[in-house]
Amino acid sequence: MAKTIIVSNRLPVKISKTDNEYMLSTSEGGLATGLGSIYKQGDNKWIGWPGIEIDEKEDQDNVSAQLAKLSLEPVFLNQEEINQYYEGFSNDVLWPVFHYYVSTYSVYKQSNWDYYQAVNKKFAEAVLKIAEPGDVIWIHDYQLLLLPALIRKELPDVSIGFFQHIPFPSNELFRLIPWRKELLEGMLGADLIGFHTFDDVRHFLGAVTRVLPVNASANVLTVDERLVVAESFPMGIDNEKYASLPLQKGVLEQKALIKETFKNSKLILSIDRLDYSKGILQRLQAFEQLLQQHPEYCEKVTLYMIVVPSRDSVPQYAHLREEIDKRVGNINALYRKMDWTPIHYYYRSFPIEMLSALYSSADVCLVTPLRDGMNLVSKEYVASRVNDDGVLILSEMAGASKELIDAVIVNPNNSGEVCNAIIEAINMPLDEQKRRMKQMRQLVSKFNITHWVKVFMDKLKEVKQMQRSMQTR
Ligand code: GDG
């Protein structure tokens, strides 16, 4: 029987080592939830890096056996591979360029590229060990751009879907990468290439038709006489989970505590991974502008800011963290009162119950990335507003802004505009809050993660049928 194989850089597990034991816990992430209905069935599998360096053969066998029980198949990476394929190329070349963060001093190291190719081959070997001609393979994200073509070479008729979770930049930026041609050729090994937004699709098609000798008719490309389709599939969230959590006893208790603590001020929530693409410093600047230029709001608004540690061994990220620490310290030192602190700042992650309590308590959610493929935090806030109140302020640079048009949309680089949006949000009449939130809740509930998985898989089947009917003509 044909099976489905999911492939991503990281497996949906957290592994920790205590003494000589490896402990596994499954991840609660949105993607894992959505794909759970697929990879846990029958002989289906999810292939990826377990997120921890394990060098001893005996330990690898032990972890593989534990993972196999969860339908997961590991690709083990050594420290050099992690440094060069993951940190060096994926996070230091692709991530910044794809998020329009290009420095004139960008370093394109040949050895990082060599490792990127080698690790993509390693993933291909792991897939080819279990894949058969009738199977469906769904590859995720920018760490594995070469993988579709590597698999296609060995299994010409297999169905391959590829989804990119981060933006695809304009060709003027993409073409800066020395290996742009090889990257596109790698992606074109897929039958269906998905992005969050139509703009990403447009940019991808622009790059393909300019960099390669490939013809495009609308969003259909012809690659060596094979049809390849590029399309937008805006990712959804596990709506049911976020809509039911605020009604749980423990969450209600935490919510009551939050309400009591911030009873004298409007609560503005901000949640991101530590990343320059999330616009955290620019957000702080807008919040400071509010306190400075509109002192009447001092003591009346509080920013609750969670920054989740991420990549902080990388110097650029460590520097960003220092800058955030400094900025928050300055603002709090300048404006704080005996019984009011402007910014409650946490550099750590929280259990999902606490996130839910915050999402459902905050009067405003401030989501202002400089560039973001989708941004799931904005959708999780909407899904959590079971009373239809609350205001979402959303950057026009987040993929989610194309769907959540009832948010207060801002340009994150315009601190005056963000500052005014905060004023508008905290003064918004309840009936207008409800009118906007209802529309957004309907959309988030309908186009949820299950829907996203289904439409992608249905389209992949359709593309395969289109290819077959072309061949028989
Ligand atoms: C990439 C793209 C795209 C956050 N803090 C905690 C916590 N989170 C969870 C949120 C949310 C997730 O992390 C963050 O997702 P985002 O979409 O906002 O951002 P990225 O991590 O950058 O994701 C992005 C996404 O892929 C999907 O395609 O939307 O554009 O960059 O789910 O809830 N979870 C817990 N504790 C926390 O403190 N448990």
Side-chain angles (χ1 to χ4, degrees):
M1 235 240 333
K3 60 184 173 306
T4 302
I5 303 169
I6 308 288
V7 197
S8 65
N9 173 59
R10 278 292 299 271
L11 283 175
V13 277
K14 280 190 208 112
I15 303 188
S16 51
K17 193 178 176 191
T18 47
D19 300 324
N20 274 334
E21 286 271 337
Y22 286 93
M23 307 288 289
L24 266 67
S25 58
T26 46
S27 127
E28 295 165 343
L31 187 64
T33 311
L35 298 177
S37 60
I38 299 183
Y39 78 94
K40 290 178 185 160
Q41 276 175 20
D43 288 338
N44 295 353
K45 286 270 178 314
W46 187 327
I47 297 179
W49 174 48
I52 179 172
E53 192 194 349
I54 304 173
D55 291 327
E56 297 298 325
K57 174 82 173 70
E58 198 184 323
D59 293 339
Q60 291 185 352
D61 290 345
N62 169 340
V63 168
S64 299
Q66 291 192 60
L67 290 170
K69 290 187 199 141
L70 304 167
S71 303
L72 305 174
E73 195 77 31
V75 175
F76 293 107
L77 301 181
N78 62 37
Q79 197 54 54
E80 210 42 42
E81 289 168 332
I82 296 166
N83 291 347
Q84 304 220 34
Y85 141 81
Y86 183 61
E87 303 294 358
F89 197 79
S90 303
N91 291 343
D92 231 7
V93 174
L94 296 179
W95 179 274
V97 175
F98 283 28
H99 284 87
Y100 292 71
Y101 193 86
V102 186
S103 135
T104 23
Y105 307 109
S106 281
V107 185
Y108 298 109
K109 277 197 204 148
Q110 179 66 38
S111 71
N112 287 339
W113 168 243
D114 292 342
Y115 268 92
Y116 186 79
Q117 293 177 91
V119 173
N120 269 256
K121 278 191 191 133
K122 203 166 176 177
F123 271 80
E125 280 158 23
V127 174
L128 292 167
K129 226 186 253 171
I130 58 171
E132 286 161 304
D135 290 349
V136 176
I137 300 166
W138 189 1
I139 301 163
H140 290 264
D141 232 357
Y142 65 103
Q143 300 92 350
L144 300 173
L145 295 178
L146 305 179
L147 188 55
L150 291 169
I151 299 173
R152 173 74 54 211
K153 210 168 120 209
E154 303 301 323
L155 291 172
D157 296 324
V158 81
S159 294
I160 305 178
F162 176 84
F163 188 83
Q164 180 162 306
H165 291 259
I166 65 172
F168 196 95
S170 140
N171 183 49
E172 286 307 313
L173 278 170
F174 179 73
R175 64 195 278 223
L176 297 174
I177 303 173
W179 308 282
R180 65 227 173 152
K181 189 167 163 282
E182 291 84 341
L183 292 169
L184 291 175
E185 283 168 350
M187 294 173 83
L188 289 173
D191 300 299
L192 176 62
I193 301 175
F195 300 93
H196 284 302
T197 70
F198 176 68
D199 282 338
D200 298 320
V201 175
R202 211 164 44 79
H203 290 152
F204 172 72
L205 292 172
V208 164
T209 47
R210 284 179 177 87
V211 173
L212 297 177
V214 164
N215 283 329
S217 162
N219 64 336
V220 181
L221 301 154
T222 313
V223 183
D224 302 330
E225 293 175 26
R226 186 171 50 88
L227 285 188
V228 175
V229 173
E231 203 158 298
S232 67
F233 299 90
M235 187 172 166
I237 59 160
D238 184 353
N239 181 72
E240 241 169 69
K241 180 165 91 182
Y242 285 95
S244 60
L245 268 168
L247 311 172
Q248 276 182 14
K249 191 167 166 277
V251 176
L252 284 168
E253 283 166 9
Q254 294 200 26
K255 202 174 148 181
L257 201 66
I258 296 168
K259 286 274 180 205
E260 176 56 27
T261 310
F262 298 103
K263 61 175 186 278
N264 296 324
S265 71
K266 293 277 186 184
L267 191 61
I268 302 176
L269 179 63
S270 133
I271 303 180
D272 313 90
R273 259 184 328 97
L274 177 72
D275 202 291
Y276 45 84
S277 67
K278 301 291 183 183
I280 301 170
L281 288 173
Q282 290 77 357
R283 194 175 311 155
L284 286 170
Q285 189 189 336
F287 186 67
E288 179 164 22
Q289 197 167 326
L290 173 80
L291 303 181
Q292 195 183 47
Q293 295 179 357
H294 303 272
E296 67 276 20
Y297 287 108
C298 286
E299 298 177 77
K300 297 206 177 80
V301 288
T302 303
L303 178 62
Y304 198 104
M305 190 168 93
I306 297 177
V307 177
V308 181
S310 172
R311 307 175 193 170
D312 53 5
S313 55
V314 177
Q316 208 176 20
Y317 285 73
H319 178 70
L320 174 63
R321 186 194 164 183
E322 276 169 26
E323 286 297 307
I324 296 171
D325 286 0
K326 233 195 278 170
R327 206 67 182 257
V328 171
N330 277 340
I331 298 173
N332 279 344
L334 276 175
Y335 297 94
R336 161 176 230 162
K337 297 275 162 61
M338 184 79 90
D339 53 358
W340 173 70
T341 305
I343 306 174
H344 283 240
Y345 167 45
Y346 301 85
Y347 184 70
R348 63 181 114 125
S349 74
F350 285 89
I352 188 153
E353 290 74 17
M354 181 59 180
L355 286 196
S356 170
L358 286 164
Y359 279 143
S360 50
S361 309
D363 301 288
V364 177
C365 188
L366 186 54
V367 183
T368 55
L370 305 180
R371 192 66 63 172
D372 217 336
M374 173 52 71
N375 191 287
L376 300 181
V377 165
S378 57
K379 292 189 169 180
E380 291 164 9
Y381 176 68
V382 168
S384 309
R385 306 304 302 182
V386 289
N387 295 328
D388 291 330
D389 58 353
V391 183
L392 173 66
I393 300 176
L394 181 59
S395 160
E396 66 179 78
M397 313 303 171
S401 69
K402 306 287 184 289
E403 294 175 278
L404 302 177
I405 53 172
D406 287 292
V408 178
I409 305 285
V410 291
N411 176 344
N413 297 308
N414 185 340
S415 60
E417 190 181 328
V418 177
C419 168
N420 288 338
I422 298 175
I423 296 174
E424 181 187 345
I426 54 188
N427 291 306
M428 191 179 281
L430 187 61
D431 54 350
E432 188 176 349
Q433 291 180 32
K434 291 199 168 194
R435 183 184 59 73
R436 290 173 180 244
M437 193 55 78
K438 249 189 207 145
Q439 298 282 351
M440 293 193 284
R441 281 191 67 210
Q442 270 174 15
L443 186 135
V444 170
S445 145
K446 186 168 174 199
F447 300 110
N448 57 30
I449 184 78
T450 321
H451 175 270
W452 179 75
V453 170
K454 185 176 179 325
V455 289
F456 188 92
M457 284 309 207
D458 286 353
K459 185 71 196 187
L460 183 53
K461 255 188 230 149
E462 192 188 312
V463 175
K464 239 24 217 174
Q465 271 157 9
M466 270 162 62
Q467 290 174 350
R468 279 185 205 119
S469 64
M470 282 260 303
Q471 281 164 1
T472 51
R473 251 191 242 159

mmCIF file of all heavy atoms in Angstrom, residues 284-298 331 334-335 340 415 419:
data_model
loop_
_atom_site.group_PDB
_atom_site.id
_atom_site.type_symbol
_atom_site.label_atom_id
_atom_site.label_comp_id
_atom_site.label_asym_id
_atom_site.label_seq_id
_atom_site.Cartn_x
_atom_site.Cartn_y
_atom_site.Cartn_z
ATOM 1 N N LEU A 284 9.220 48.162 20.572
ATOM 2 C CA LEU A 284 9.545 48.853 21.828
ATOM 3 C C LEU A 284 9.632 50.362 21.590
ATOM 4 O O LEU A 284 9.220 51.164 22.422
ATOM 5 C CB LEU A 284 10.855 48.315 22.407
ATOM 6 C CG LEU A 284 10.754 46.922 23.029
ATOM 7 C CD1 LEU A 284 12.138 46.379 23.357
ATOM 8 C CD2 LEU A 284 9.892 46.949 24.302
ATOM 9 N N GLN A 285 10.176 50.726 20.428
ATOM 10 C CA GLN A 285 10.290 52.152 20.101
ATOM 11 C C GLN A 285 8.895 52.778 20.018
ATOM 12 O O GLN A 285 8.665 53.874 20.536
ATOM 13 C CB GLN A 285 11.014 52.298 18.766
ATOM 14 C CG GLN A 285 11.375 53.743 18.468
ATOM 15 C CD GLN A 285 11.893 53.902 17.047
ATOM 16 O OE1 GLN A 285 12.397 52.954 16.447
ATOM 17 N NE2 GLN A 285 11.762 55.098 16.515
ATOM 18 N N ALA A 286 7.960 52.082 19.386
ATOM 19 C CA ALA A 286 6.595 52.615 19.259
ATOM 20 C C ALA A 286 5.929 52.729 20.633
ATOM 21 O O ALA A 286 5.239 53.703 20.924
ATOM 22 C CB ALA A 286 5.771 51.712 18.348
ATOM 23 N N PHE A 287 6.188 51.735 21.498
ATOM 24 C CA PHE A 287 5.577 51.765 22.834
ATOM 25 C C PHE A 287 6.168 52.925 23.650
ATOM 26 O O PHE A 287 5.452 53.642 24.348
ATOM 27 C CB PHE A 287 5.802 50.424 23.542
ATOM 28 C CG PHE A 287 5.082 50.326 24.861
ATOM 29 C CD1 PHE A 287 3.702 50.285 24.902
ATOM 30 C CD2 PHE A 287 5.791 50.290 26.060
ATOM 31 C CE1 PHE A 287 3.026 50.207 26.124
ATOM 32 C CE2 PHE A 287 5.124 50.208 27.276
ATOM 33 C CZ PHE A 287 3.735 50.169 27.307
ATOM 34 N N GLU A 288 7.470 53.130 23.505
ATOM 35 C CA GLU A 288 8.103 54.238 24.233
ATOM 36 C C GLU A 288 7.549 55.580 23.729
ATOM 37 O O GLU A 288 7.299 56.492 24.515
ATOM 38 C CB GLU A 288 9.627 54.193 24.074
ATOM 39 C CG GLU A 288 10.253 55.364 24.818
ATOM 40 C CD GLU A 288 11.735 55.236 25.073
ATOM 41 O OE1 GLU A 288 12.397 54.475 24.343
ATOM 42 O OE2 GLU A 288 12.211 55.922 26.001
ATOM 43 N N GLN A 289 7.341 55.658 22.407
ATOM 44 C CA GLN A 289 6.781 56.884 21.831
ATOM 45 C C GLN A 289 5.416 57.197 22.452
ATOM 46 O O GLN A 289 5.095 58.345 22.719
ATOM 47 C CB GLN A 289 6.653 56.700 20.321
ATOM 48 C CG GLN A 289 6.473 57.991 19.569
ATOM 49 C CD GLN A 289 6.684 57.768 18.066
ATOM 50 O OE1 GLN A 289 7.500 56.943 17.653
ATOM 51 N NE2 GLN A 289 5.947 58.495 17.261
ATOM 52 N N LEU A 290 4.643 56.144 22.678
ATOM 53 C CA LEU A 290 3.320 56.328 23.295
ATOM 54 C C LEU A 290 3.471 56.961 24.686
ATOM 55 O O LEU A 290 2.780 57.922 25.025
ATOM 56 C CB LEU A 290 2.609 54.968 23.394
ATOM 57 C CG LEU A 290 1.299 54.967 24.149
ATOM 58 C CD1 LEU A 290 0.161 55.484 23.256
ATOM 59 C CD2 LEU A 290 0.940 53.569 24.652
ATOM 60 N N LEU A 291 4.408 56.412 25.475
ATOM 61 C CA LEU A 291 4.569 56.908 26.848
ATOM 62 C C LEU A 291 5.147 58.330 26.857
ATOM 63 O O LEU A 291 4.780 59.159 27.687
ATOM 64 C CB LEU A 291 5.486 55.975 27.650
ATOM 65 C CG LEU A 291 5.054 54.507 27.721
ATOM 66 C CD1 LEU A 291 6.035 53.702 28.553
ATOM 67 C CD2 LEU A 291 3.637 54.363 28.289
ATOM 68 N N GLN A 292 6.021 58.595 25.883
ATOM 69 C CA GLN A 292 6.696 59.887 25.838
ATOM 70 C C GLN A 292 5.777 60.987 25.310
ATOM 71 O O GLN A 292 5.662 62.049 25.918
ATOM 72 C CB GLN A 292 7.887 59.734 24.897
ATOM 73 C CG GLN A 292 8.913 60.823 24.979
ATOM 74 C CD GLN A 292 9.984 60.545 23.936
ATOM 75 O OE1 GLN A 292 9.690 60.252 22.762
ATOM 76 N NE2 GLN A 292 11.225 60.595 24.348
ATOM 77 N N GLN A 293 5.092 60.689 24.200
ATOM 78 C CA GLN A 293 4.286 61.736 23.557
ATOM 79 C C GLN A 293 2.859 61.808 24.086
ATOM 80 O O GLN A 293 2.158 62.774 23.824
ATOM 81 C CB GLN A 293 4.273 61.508 22.042
ATOM 82 C CG GLN A 293 5.661 61.677 21.450
ATOM 83 C CD GLN A 293 5.695 61.423 19.952
ATOM 84 O OE1 GLN A 293 4.693 61.070 19.340
ATOM 85 N NE2 GLN A 293 6.866 61.587 19.369
ATOM 86 N N HIS A 294 2.434 60.770 24.773
ATOM 87 C CA HIS A 294 1.049 60.763 25.306
ATOM 88 C C HIS A 294 1.100 60.337 26.771
ATOM 89 O O HIS A 294 0.608 59.258 27.129
ATOM 90 C CB HIS A 294 0.167 59.791 24.502
ATOM 91 C CG HIS A 294 0.128 60.102 23.044
ATOM 92 N ND1 HIS A 294 -0.771 60.973 22.492
ATOM 93 C CD2 HIS A 294 0.915 59.682 22.026
ATOM 94 C CE1 HIS A 294 -0.552 61.078 21.183
ATOM 95 N NE2 HIS A 294 0.472 60.302 20.882
ATOM 96 N N PRO A 295 1.672 61.184 27.617
ATOM 97 C CA PRO A 295 1.869 60.785 29.021
ATOM 98 C C PRO A 295 0.573 60.425 29.734
ATOM 99 O O PRO A 295 0.592 59.744 30.758
ATOM 100 C CB PRO A 295 2.549 62.005 29.649
ATOM 101 C CG PRO A 295 2.412 63.104 28.667
ATOM 102 C CD PRO A 295 2.192 62.521 27.330
ATOM 103 N N GLU A 296 -0.570 60.867 29.158
ATOM 104 C CA GLU A 296 -1.855 60.524 29.789
ATOM 105 C C GLU A 296 -2.092 59.007 29.812
ATOM 106 O O GLU A 296 -2.914 58.513 30.572
ATOM 107 C CB GLU A 296 -3.026 61.259 29.102
ATOM 108 C CG GLU A 296 -3.346 60.871 27.667
ATOM 109 C CD GLU A 296 -2.488 61.577 26.590
ATOM 110 O OE1 GLU A 296 -1.402 62.080 26.934
ATOM 111 O OE2 GLU A 296 -2.896 61.583 25.418
ATOM 112 N N TYR A 297 -1.334 58.261 28.962
ATOM 113 C CA TYR A 297 -1.511 56.794 28.952
ATOM 114 C C TYR A 297 -0.596 56.076 29.944
ATOM 115 O O TYR A 297 -0.739 54.875 30.154
ATOM 116 C CB TYR A 297 -1.314 56.237 27.536
ATOM 117 C CG TYR A 297 -2.489 56.567 26.638
ATOM 118 C CD1 TYR A 297 -2.370 57.517 25.635
ATOM 119 C CD2 TYR A 297 -3.722 55.952 26.833
ATOM 120 C CE1 TYR A 297 -3.447 57.841 24.837
ATOM 121 C CE2 TYR A 297 -4.809 56.275 26.038
ATOM 122 C CZ TYR A 297 -4.669 57.222 25.042
ATOM 123 O OH TYR A 297 -5.754 57.533 24.262
ATOM 124 N N CYS A 298 0.360 56.832 30.538
ATOM 125 C CA CYS A 298 1.223 56.185 31.538
ATOM 126 C C CYS A 298 0.320 55.670 32.665
ATOM 127 O O CYS A 298 -0.662 56.313 33.018
ATOM 128 C CB CYS A 298 2.229 57.188 32.099
ATOM 129 S SG CYS A 298 3.521 57.562 30.914
ATOM 130 N N ILE A 331 13.317 51.812 29.300
ATOM 131 C CA ILE A 331 11.919 52.281 29.328
ATOM 132 C C ILE A 331 11.349 52.131 30.744
ATOM 133 O O ILE A 331 10.748 53.059 31.293
ATOM 134 C CB ILE A 331 11.052 51.528 28.288
ATOM 135 C CG1 ILE A 331 11.573 51.800 26.881
ATOM 136 C CG2 ILE A 331 9.574 51.903 28.416
ATOM 137 C CD1 ILE A 331 10.917 50.990 25.773
ATOM 138 N N LEU A 334 12.808 54.712 33.094
ATOM 139 C CA LEU A 334 12.362 56.090 32.870
ATOM 140 C C LEU A 334 10.921 56.343 33.285
ATOM 141 O O LEU A 334 10.584 57.421 33.757
ATOM 142 C CB LEU A 334 12.490 56.432 31.375
ATOM 143 C CG LEU A 334 13.854 56.901 30.889
ATOM 144 C CD1 LEU A 334 13.843 57.071 29.373
ATOM 145 C CD2 LEU A 334 14.200 58.236 31.553
ATOM 146 N N TYR A 335 10.050 55.347 33.065
ATOM 147 C CA TYR A 335 8.612 55.624 33.213
ATOM 148 C C TYR A 335 7.935 54.940 34.391
ATOM 149 O O TYR A 335 6.813 55.270 34.733
ATOM 150 C CB TYR A 335 7.868 55.231 31.918
ATOM 151 C CG TYR A 335 8.323 56.046 30.733
ATOM 152 C CD1 TYR A 335 9.319 55.574 29.883
ATOM 153 C CD2 TYR A 335 7.789 57.314 30.492
ATOM 154 C CE1 TYR A 335 9.758 56.335 28.808
ATOM 155 C CE2 TYR A 335 8.226 58.074 29.426
ATOM 156 C CZ TYR A 335 9.211 57.576 28.579
ATOM 157 O OH TYR A 335 9.642 58.339 27.533
ATOM 158 N N TRP A 340 3.287 50.653 39.154
ATOM 159 C CA TRP A 340 3.071 50.367 37.718
ATOM 160 C C TRP A 340 4.411 50.195 36.996
ATOM 161 O O TRP A 340 5.302 51.037 37.108
ATOM 162 C CB TRP A 340 2.279 51.510 37.070
ATOM 163 C CG TRP A 340 2.154 51.390 35.571
ATOM 164 C CD1 TRP A 340 1.425 50.486 34.873
ATOM 165 C CD2 TRP A 340 2.815 52.213 34.587
ATOM 166 N NE1 TRP A 340 1.562 50.690 33.514
ATOM 167 C CE2 TRP A 340 2.406 51.750 33.308
ATOM 168 C CE3 TRP A 340 3.683 53.310 34.656
ATOM 169 C CZ2 TRP A 340 2.853 52.335 32.123
ATOM 170 C CZ3 TRP A 340 4.122 53.882 33.468
ATOM 171 C CH2 TRP A 340 3.707 53.394 32.217
ATOM 172 N N SER A 415 6.968 53.988 13.486
ATOM 173 C CA SER A 415 6.663 53.925 14.922
ATOM 174 C C SER A 415 5.479 54.827 15.277
ATOM 175 O O SER A 415 4.695 54.511 16.175
ATOM 176 C CB SER A 415 7.891 54.290 15.752
ATOM 177 O OG SER A 415 8.304 55.589 15.429
ATOM 178 N N CYS A 419 2.214 53.543 17.167
ATOM 179 C CA CYS A 419 1.808 54.233 18.391
ATOM 180 C C CYS A 419 0.327 54.648 18.284
ATOM 181 O O CYS A 419 -0.470 54.423 19.206
ATOM 182 C CB CYS A 419 2.738 55.436 18.568
ATOM 183 S SG CYS A 419 2.223 56.584 19.805
#
